[in-house]
Amino acid sequence: MTQGELLLLVYDELVKRLKLAEIELGRQQYDTFAEAVHRSVAIIHYLSDTLDRQYPISRNLYRLYEYFCYELNRVEIGRNQKELTRVTKMVSELRDSFRQAEKNSTAQRMEASL
């Protein structure tokens, strides 16, 4: 697996946990909701910790990850479905961007090897 593929697996797990949190909040299963939110925050911390800070985009991603954690803490405290859905959408879009970048990178590597 490439680093990009591993990153996508982590993002897939993050989106899965956020969607689980949405479902559990809707079902008023607050213990499993809180557990899913905590796991999501832990994944975001992992993503933040693995950033290569020598690149300018890493600073932007770091701030975005901080924002996600801040919002998820607020979501957990207030049990706010609307904000949880908004954060889930933002994380999904970021994952999709990384997925497209990985596809482009793979295509470039294949062209270069020909």
Side-chain angles (χ1 to χ4, degrees):
M1 274 191 158
T2 66
Q3 286 183 335
E5 290 169 334
L6 290 173
L7 179 65
L8 288 174
L9 285 177
V10 173
Y11 267 101
D12 287 342
E13 182 65 21
L14 175 56
V15 170
K16 181 176 109 178
R17 295 295 176 149
L18 290 171
K19 289 184 184 266
L20 175 63
E22 285 186 65
I23 291 167
E24 295 302 300
L25 181 57
R27 295 177 50 214
Q28 296 181 346
Q29 298 295 316
Y30 299 122
D31 288 340
T32 51
F33 157 73
E35 184 180 314
V37 170
H38 288 189
R39 185 66 181 131
S40 297
V41 169
I43 292 169
I44 293 168
H45 282 288
Y46 171 79
L47 289 168
S48 180
D49 291 344
T50 58
L51 287 172
D52 187 346
R53 310 262 178 177
Q54 72 177 337
Y55 299 105
I57 194 164
S58 294
R59 281 179 253 139
N60 294 334
L61 284 171
Y62 178 79
R63 282 184 250 151
L64 190 58
Y65 293 154
E66 278 187 333
Y67 173 75
F68 289 156
C69 288
Y70 173 78
E71 286 300 313
L72 288 173
N73 285 322
R74 288 184 57 220
V75 161
E76 183 183 6
I77 292 167
R79 296 181 180 159
N80 188 328
Q81 182 79 39
K82 184 177 178 181
E83 285 302 306
L84 178 56
T85 300
R86 191 174 67 78
V87 170
T88 302
K89 182 177 186 253
M90 291 173 68
V91 169
S92 295
E93 289 172 355
L94 186 57
R95 177 199 55 190
D96 293 343
S97 296
F98 279 115
R99 180 169 282 127
Q100 187 59 47
E102 176 62 19
K103 283 181 185 179
N104 293 344
S105 176
T106 300
Q108 287 177 351
R109 282 193 307 268
M110 290 182 81
E111 285 178 15
S113 68
L114 294 177

